[in-house]
Amino acid sequence: MKPGTRGFMINLRIDDLDAFVKQIKKKGVKVLDTVDEGYGKFAWILDPNGVKIELWEQVAEELPS
């Protein structure tokens, strides 16, 4: 997965990742990758300044330890 050009990443929690990804793709945002880890779904994008943004939706009641 393509890294951002900055030394940090922004992490945003999303209620419905599938719908959000569909919506931002319609607006021309390139989604770098998506993954479903069972406990949560994740997607990554880059902002115009090269900052990586991780979008995630918690799916399981409890996160793994």
Side-chain angles (χ1 to χ4, degrees), residues 21-37:
V21 165
K22 189 175 182 179
Q23 183 179 14
I24 63 174
K25 281 183 173 180
K26 283 183 182 178
K27 295 183 184 257
V29 175
K30 181 179 177 190
V31 177
L32 302 174
D33 196 11
T34 61
V35 66
D36 184 340
E37 293 288 343

Side-chain angles (χ1 to χ4, degrees), residues 4 6 8 11 14 16 20 24 28 32-34 37 48 52 56 59 61 63 65:
R6 307 292 184 193
F8 62 93
N11 184 292
I14 306 296
D16 183 345
F20 189 76
I24 63 174
L32 302 174
D33 196 11
T34 61
E37 293 288 343
K52 185 183 271 185
W56 81 283
V59 178
E61 281 286 319
L63 299 177
S65 306

Side-chain angles (χ1 to χ4, degrees), residues 12-20 56-59:
L12 301 174
R13 192 168 179 173
I14 306 296
D15 288 329
D16 183 345
L17 184 66
D18 295 333
F20 189 76
W56 81 283
E57 173 189 357
Q58 183 174 345
V59 178

